Amino acid sequence: MDLMESRDIAGDATPAQLRNYIVTHIDDAIDGGWIRPYYQPVVRTLTGKLCGVEALARWDDPTYGMLFPDTFIPALEDSRLIHLLDSSIVRQVCKQYRECVARGEATVPISFNLSRLDFDLCDIFSVVEKAAHDYGVPRHLLNIEITESVLGQDTALMISHMGKFHDAGYQVWMDDFGSGYSSLNILKYFDFDELKIDMEFLNRFGEKSKTILASVVDMAKKLEIQTLAEGVETDEHRTFLRRIGCEKMQGYLFGKPMPYDCDEFVELRDRIGIESTPERLYVSEIGAMNMLTLSERDLTAGNSTKDYVTSMSIATVEFSDGRFKVLDSNRVFREGLANVGITSVEEAERRINDQHRPVARNARELVNRIEETKFARLDYVIGDYACVMRARHITSRGGKIALLVSIDDTIKLGERRRHDSMFDMLSVMYDMYDHVDIIHLDEGYIEPVYGNIGLTKQFEVTEFDRVTELFAETEVYARDRERYMQFMDHDTMIERIDAGGENYITEFFRLRQSGGDYAWKMYILIRIPESPDAPDELDSLASFKLPKPPDRSGNQVMLCIRGVLNTHEVVLRARYDESFSEAAVGLIDDTPIMTDGGKWRALMRDNDINVFWKDRERRFVGANNSFLKYYGFTSVDQIIGKTDEDMGWHIDPAPYQKDEFRVLEEGEHIENAAGKCIVRGEVRDIIASKHPVYRGGRIVGLVGYFIDVEDKLGESGMLEELPVRDPITGVLNYTGLESATWRYVDMYQRHRVDFAMVSINIESFQAINKGFGPEFGEKVLRRIGDELSDIAGNQRVVGHVYADRFVILSQGESDEELKELCNEIEQRLIAIPQVDGMSCTIYALAGFSRFSELGDIEEMKRRNRDQRLERRKQWPGATDDGDVITSSLL
Ligand code: C2E
Ligand code: CA
Ligand code: CA
């Protein structure tokens, strides 16, 4: 089989003639279909499966025969026509992807090349977006390659262009890494997803190149960038790349660029297999582990550890179907096994899978808890060797767990050094806390010790009060902010820690995560003992030293932040909140509300109680921050002078009007009345109290406050038990939606208030669910639920009917407004670049109908469905197999 492409220079044309021909025939070439993408396979080093393809342009000319990029790309760049070719390639790539899916074939991510000039000559981002949208290609399957050599010029501009692709959910790859002189510089400024290492290094495959390759892979992993080696031509190349942990390979060893449907490519795919999305996610996390950096190594010439592996024993191990399998191991690992009489990796596998051995049982136990603890160790004895197995969790998916394992079996019993236990203590601490800082209270600054939450890094200041403030503003969930500021209050910190009776105090706050969600975190403030020389205390702390021993003068507090693993902690939090709000309710019962400034202010600041007050006409006069936040208002001006009816946040306002009349006319106190209101698209259960306000013996208005019952239940983990709410998305479930619908119908029948039903179908949901797994699918649904709730605002109701179907109910909107709403929904969902840090594309179709027109809920559903089907016909990205189209999107 001839893998090299034959590249005779076209016929007898001179280069100048050919150039001229290319420039004058580019339109013909595009229209005539002479320009086509060929695809070169990319192979996963760890599994040998096809994990991607690169689209490379070919010009099959009727006169000159096959032309290659090195001929036509420079000509088109010089004549500033290159964007025509690139746009055509992008559209063809997307179209072929769609055809592939329509034939029911498996697909892999596709990368394509952009020229520097594309960014000047057209809006290449929109070209790509449109192609992806028209053919329904999820953005995470498209990777943009930009060659390194062009990035040196106009760096800032290029970075902003690439950032746009990146933020939208495409991967941006640096092509030909190492070919230019500014490679490292560029890395500093832009977060590439992948480095394609220039083929020159394998081409001149000497010791120097090997060292460079090993270092590049090592560095890329530290920067969390994937690596791909280009120009892999021999088995020797492959073996070396596998050993240094380069994740992907591309080159003539696997295949040359070819049409996707040619026999050769079909044969290749059948032979090596295609990586599925779940496999990709699983394997890329294993690939991100760095086999090199896990200890010191010496890469200098003449050194005996010439095979570029670490001096620490390392293996990646997979646990699946109750059995361990070693995926990869280094030489030190295998030598270590030999040391204690285990002659091969297979023998080690046999032993650890042999249930009769204690080590096998212990190893299984370790696996059971490692997902939660991330790090575990196992001590056991073989002969007179004490062995320590350390394992770190890499990833889990579909019942498989991948671990990084290091076995230290060279330590003879009794020879263990104290240093080891110190190391272990530190590892445990690092694994337990996401973040550790030291707060120097007297000096007023914060010293980062370790962590990834990035307090000081992020803001580039270390002044404690300033960091706290900035952090609260940008990272802490709005409703936790006040509490956070109090907890972190500089002046009272020592006092509060001491008052607790222990050496530390804890609190829980919600912090922003990379995907934009919030997660509960536990904050621990530990007072660092002041006297540095107290011998007994220090002895017990001896193995617990921080990397840089803190200077122990003055008041110092260690701040540790960790995730909340245990539901108990959340329940605790909820309890704490409850008593907090009860205490505040007590305050307001202390009738002279308006006069007691201190208590009033305390109430106004409270995080959980929404307080408002109204005049005699039931118009809002004011509200506290919590109230405004609860409804998503930015200013109190948005409600002043309006009544509940003006705001439209009760489906049926009558009972509330009656209550308020009783307060205003008869001076009644309404205590803890259960009710419902619409907040950000959901019908919420609230408990409200209202009291008359007197001035000079006359009722001049009312003051009310309420708490959201479900917020409370949600915090204590009981949300799942509420039958009307969908536990996945947090919006109404089918039952909840149905009862809301009947309330709307009732309103129509009694008061002729019309309402509309908007049906939303998530076209790409089945594909996402299948590709990324149901766990991720649920996160996507939750994100959609959040987004829809946000769009719905306070006057519409959102429900999740089943898998890919959502519904919004709305009163009193015109057809124009509803059309606009549908449009907004589709646009907002497709604009979501990623969920939980993972790129995915949410294609949705929305349709609406109104009750007054059809008079029947079932008819409304049918009408909405017809509208959706109609929309699908206009969208090539959708196929036409009716309601099951969703499953064929990927
Ligand atoms: P590139 O992106 O670095 O693409 C890899 C090139 O190396 C391809 O040449 C490929 O055929 C070749 N190659 C692949 N494996 C091996 C191997 O094992 N050994 C050797 N010696 N070569 C290998 P091709 O297709 O001629 O493309 C040349 C360059 O033209 C590409 O370099 C890329 O920069 C550019 N190019 C190709 N297609 C397009 C396109 O659609 N748009 C733009 N703007 N540029 C393109
Ligand atoms: Ca390329
Ligand atoms: Ca390249």
Side-chain angles (χ1 to χ4, degrees):
M1 180 170 42
D2 177 25
L3 277 170
M4 308 286 279
E5 297 167 286
S6 57
R7 299 189 171 201
D8 341 309
I9 287 299
D12 14 272
T14 66
Q17 282 171 324
L18 203 53
R19 249 178 125 76
N20 186 46
Y21 176 82
I22 286 163
V23 173
T24 50
H25 287 78
I26 176 72
D27 290 329
D28 293 341
I30 290 173
D31 297 343
W34 309 342
I35 293 175
R36 288 193 296 149
Y38 272 38
Y39 298 91
Q40 187 174 28
V42 176
V43 167
R44 177 81 59 188
T45 314
L46 201 59
T47 60
K49 286 192 182 178
L50 182 78
C51 67
V53 291
E54 174 176 6
L56 293 155
R58 295 291 179 266
W59 178 321
D60 194 359
D61 194 83
T63 313
Y64 293 104
M66 189 63 94
L67 301 177
F68 288 87
D70 34 350
T71 311
F72 56 81
I73 301 272
L76 292 172
E77 284 187 336
D78 291 348
S79 55
R80 299 176 72 80
L81 294 168
I82 183 69
H83 60 294
L84 301 178
L85 176 125
D86 284 336
S87 304
S88 161
I89 292 287
V90 167
R91 278 198 79 79
Q92 292 190 60
V93 161
C94 291
K95 183 159 178 281
Q96 292 188 357
Y97 165 86
R98 168 56 45 206
E99 287 163 1
C100 210
V101 167
R103 289 194 300 266
E105 290 171 18
T107 57
V108 288
I110 310 154
S111 58
F112 53 86
N113 297 277
L114 291 185
S115 160
R116 162 76 185 81
L117 287 173
D118 289 335
F119 297 94
D120 296 343
L121 297 172
C122 68
D123 180 359
I124 192 70
F125 177 75
S126 302
V127 170
V128 175
E129 278 276 276
K130 181 158 190 325
H133 179 260
D134 287 350
Y135 295 106
V137 189
R139 297 185 187 95
H140 71 89
L141 291 183
L142 294 176
N143 313 315
I144 288 95
E145 294 191 13
I146 302 188
T147 167
E148 191 225 279
S149 56
V150 304
L151 294 172
Q153 322 135 19
D154 257 343
T155 314
L157 184 68
M158 283 309 288
I159 285 170
S160 91
H161 283 312
M162 292 187 299
K164 208 160 158 193
F165 276 107
H166 201 265
D167 294 345
Y170 300 95
Q171 288 201 4
V172 180
W173 293 4
M174 187 197 258
D175 203 356
D176 305 333
F177 180 80
S179 66
Y181 55 87
S182 52
S183 323
L184 294 173
N185 231 3
I186 302 294
L187 279 187
K188 223 167 39 190
Y189 298 117
F190 189 74
D191 296 330
F192 288 95
D193 299 287
E194 182 158 314
L195 291 189
K196 294 191 76 167
I197 306 170
D198 196 58
M199 56 183 90
E200 194 55 27
F201 295 104
L202 288 180
N203 207 0
R204 299 166 190 271
F205 196 50
E207 289 309 316
K208 222 175 189 169
S209 289
K210 285 187 189 173
T211 305
I212 294 175
L213 281 167
S215 318
V216 166
V217 169
D218 179 28
M219 171 194 70
K221 289 192 181 185
K222 283 184 187 144
L223 296 173
E224 294 179 35
I225 306 176
Q226 308 160 43
T227 46
L228 183 157
E230 293 187 280
V232 182
E233 293 183 352
T234 66
D235 261 325
E236 197 194 352
H237 290 163
R238 190 212 323 237
T239 311
F240 175 77
L241 291 168
R242 187 180 169 122
R243 195 182 310 147
I244 63 170
C246 181
E247 288 152 72
K248 300 177 188 173
M249 301 179 288
Q250 178 181 355
Y252 292 156
L253 179 63
F254 310 102
K256 62 180 192 234
M258 46 198 153
Y260 197 74
D261 50 9
C262 75
D263 290 345
E264 210 174 316
F265 213 147
V266 174
E267 185 271 327
L268 179 80
R269 289 188 299 245
D270 285 349
R271 183 158 46 82
I272 68 175
I274 299 180
E275 183 174 289
S276 66
T277 307
E279 269 177 307
R280 173 159 50 88
L281 299 172
Y282 180 70
V283 181
S284 23
E285 287 188 60
I286 298 176
M289 291 316 299
N290 196 337
M291 290 292 219
L292 289 173
T293 309
L294 289 156
S295 83
E296 336 66 28
R297 71 189 181 289
D298 197 350
L299 288 174
T300 47
N303 189 286
S304 59
T305 54
K306 221 22 192 168
D307 61 356
Y308 308 97
V309 288
T310 146
S311 57
M312 185 173 173
S313 101
I314 293 186
T316 40
V317 174
E318 181 177 272
F319 185 72
S320 159
D321 293 331
R323 295 183 68 79
F324 290 94
K325 186 171 154 224
V326 178
L327 298 178
D328 212 350
S329 62
N330 67 2
R331 198 197 58 202
V332 186
F333 185 88
R334 293 187 295 270
E335 282 174 0
L337 293 179
N339 244 355
V340 294
I342 300 174
T343 50
S344 67
V345 167
E346 289 71 32
E347 169 67 10
E349 280 179 351
R350 202 184 56 72
R351 288 195 186 201
I352 205 155
N353 285 320
D354 177 357
Q355 299 282 0
H356 300 297
R357 292 172 190 270
V359 62
R361 284 197 298 275
N362 289 338
R364 270 164 190 71
E365 257 168 51
L366 179 148
V367 168
N368 282 339
R369 59 192 151 88
I370 199 155
E371 237 175 310
E372 207 180 314
T373 58
K374 300 298 175 203
F375 179 96
R377 83 176 254 166
L378 192 64
D379 293 77
Y380 57 98
V381 175
I382 298 183
D384 58 349
Y385 284 95
C387 299
V388 184
M389 179 168 124
R390 291 194 184 87
R392 180 180 287 275
H393 178 251
I394 307 173
T395 182
S396 319
R397 218 171 290 276
K400 290 181 178 172
I401 297 183
L403 308 173
L404 188 73
V405 171
S406 162
I407 299 182
D408 218 343
D409 45 14
T410 53
I411 308 169
K412 278 220 167 176
L413 282 178
E415 271 180 23
R416 240 198 256 183
R417 278 162 304 158
R418 186 177 157 93
H419 155 168
D420 270 354
S421 58
M422 232 164 91
F423 174 80
D424 288 341
M425 282 297 283
L426 263 182
S427 316
V428 169
M429 186 173 119
Y430 287 179
D431 277 292
M432 196 146 97
Y433 299 113
D434 299 343
H435 191 94
V436 179
D437 279 339
I438 300 221
I439 305 166
H440 296 259
L441 284 169
D442 294 344
E443 295 88 347
Y445 75 97
I446 180 160
E447 173 194 8
V449 172
Y450 143 84
N452 47 28
I453 291 181
L455 290 166
T456 44
K457 243 180 287 161
Q458 197 169 328
F459 309 116
E460 293 176 349
V461 285
T462 55
E463 194 198 325
F464 178 62
D465 290 341
R466 189 75 194 117
V467 168
T468 308
E469 217 170 275
L470 285 169
F471 190 78
E473 264 165 37
T474 59
E475 305 300 310
V476 179
Y477 187 55
R479 297 180 72 175
D480 294 344
R481 232 169 258 163
E482 293 263 356
R483 275 193 310 111
Y484 177 83
M485 290 304 289
Q486 284 161 15
F487 184 72
M488 296 294 276
D489 180 51
H490 180 172
D491 299 331
T492 58
M493 192 175 283
I494 291 285
E495 203 178 300
R496 282 179 290 125
I497 295 178
D498 289 350
E502 312 273 359
N503 202 26
Y504 63 91
I505 50 174
T506 60
E507 253 293 4
F508 298 85
F509 306 105
R510 279 160 286 196
L511 299 192
R512 202 155 58 86
Q513 304 299 288
S514 56
D517 304 335
Y518 286 87
W520 281 106
K521 294 280 171 187
M522 183 182 193
Y523 267 61
I524 307 145
L525 291 174
I526 308 169
R527 190 163 176 193
I528 299 178
E530 247 179 89
S531 56
D533 304 318
D536 49 339
E537 205 159 25
L538 218 93
D539 207 36
S540 63
L541 281 171
S543 52
F544 197 66
K545 253 187 219 130
L546 299 163
K548 182 181 156 210
D551 155 26
R552 296 268 174 81
S553 63
N555 284 315
Q556 289 168 8
V557 172
M558 184 153 88
L559 163 66
C560 303
I561 306 174
R562 55 174 286 196
V564 175
L565 300 173
N566 192 320
T567 44
H568 283 127
E569 291 177 344
V570 180
V571 173
L572 243 169
R573 177 64 246 152
R575 268 203 211 120
Y576 176 79
D577 271 353
E578 213 93 75
S579 62
F580 194 61
S581 50
E582 264 165 28
V585 173
L587 284 181
I588 203 166
D589 280 343
D590 238 341
T591 332
I593 316 164
M594 297 305 227
T595 55
D596 186 336
K599 286 177 184 170
W600 177 241
R601 272 199 301 278
L603 189 63
M604 290 289 289
R605 274 208 310 266
D606 187 277
N607 282 306
D608 292 308
I609 303 180
N610 308 305
V611 189
F612 58 90
W613 53 108
K614 294 179 169 178
D615 65 16
R616 265 198 76 91
E617 266 64 55
R618 305 177 43 252
R619 292 179 302 225
F620 280 97
V621 177
N624 73 346
N625 273 336
S626 172
F627 180 99
L628 298 176
K629 267 182 237 162
Y630 182 77
Y631 283 107
F633 294 118
T634 48
S635 151
V636 72
D637 296 339
Q638 290 166 286
I639 58 165
I640 286 180
K642 301 203 170 117
T643 63
D644 280 0
E645 297 84 271
D646 294 336
M647 303 307 299
W649 52 35
H650 304 297
I651 297 172
D652 178 2
Y656 297 89
Q657 287 170 6
K658 260 192 228 125
D659 273 0
E660 294 189 356
F661 285 136
R662 270 161 55 208
V663 175
L664 291 166
E665 309 289 329
E666 280 136 47
E668 270 187 48
H669 291 260
I670 309 264
E671 304 264 13
N672 297 334
K676 292 188 186 303
C677 71
I678 307 175
V679 181
R680 301 173 86 75
E682 302 172 12
V683 179
R684 310 282 301 185
D685 286 309
I686 56 172
I687 292 186
S689 301
K690 285 167 192 167
H691 302 273
V693 176
Y694 291 88
R695 191 176 295 137
R698 291 185 46 229
I699 296 176
V700 291
L702 65 83
V703 59
Y705 55 88
F706 65 91
I707 56 171
D708 184 310
V709 189
E710 293 175 34
D711 253 7
K712 290 270 151 282
L713 294 175
E715 282 171 19
S716 59
M718 287 160 65
L719 195 63
E720 286 78 348
E721 286 159 31
L722 282 177
V724 294
R725 197 160 293 286
D726 170 26
I728 300 172
T729 57
V731 301
L732 294 182
N733 65 10
Y734 189 79
T735 318
L737 195 64
E738 208 170 36
S739 77
T741 311
W742 289 120
R743 270 182 269 152
Y744 277 119
V745 172
D746 189 51
M747 265 310 274
Y748 179 80
Q749 285 165 348
R750 282 198 280 157
H751 306 289
R752 295 287 143 202
V753 181
D754 194 14
F755 72 95
M757 177 194 284
V758 180
S759 306
I760 300 131
N761 199 62
I762 312 302
E763 302 284 309
S764 54
F765 179 70
Q766 300 298 352
I768 292 171
N769 210 36
K770 218 167 104 201
F772 295 91
E775 228 174 86
F776 183 72
E778 290 191 359
K779 287 185 183 155
V780 171
L781 289 178
R782 170 161 285 276
R783 177 62 189 271
I784 294 170
D786 288 351
E787 205 76 35
L788 292 179
S789 302
D790 194 52
I791 296 170
N794 298 329
Q795 306 180 6
R796 307 175 181 124
V797 167
V798 185
H800 179 212
V801 188
Y802 56 81
D804 51 11
R805 189 70 47 85
F806 288 80
V807 163
I808 291 183
L809 299 174
S810 165
Q811 268 174 339
E813 284 188 276
S814 70
D815 279 2
E816 279 317 304
E817 286 166 323
L818 289 163
K819 253 182 221 145
E820 186 43 46
L821 176 66
C822 288
N823 199 22
E824 189 188 351
I825 290 167
E826 292 179 5
Q827 295 306 318
R828 279 275 288 270
L829 293 180
I830 201 169
I832 296 175
Q834 54 176 33
V835 172
D836 201 34
M838 193 124 71
S839 168
C840 70
T841 311
I842 301 168
Y843 289 107
L845 289 179
F848 73 90
S849 53
R850 46 176 74 258
F851 189 74
S852 60
E853 214 174 301
L854 299 170
D856 181 82
I857 298 292
E858 289 310 313
E859 279 301 322
M860 290 166 88
K861 290 182 188 164
R862 213 161 297 146
R863 166 78 63 90
N864 291 355
R865 185 166 164 276
D866 292 346
Q867 277 181 34
R868 261 197 338 267
L869 292 178
E870 199 48 47
R871 285 274 284 107
R872 260 178 210 161
K873 283 192 195 136
Q874 305 156 1
W875 182 31
T879 56
D880 50 6
D881 43 342
D883 252 1
V884 291
I885 110 148
T886 46
S887 59
S888 63
L889 246 169
L890 200 131

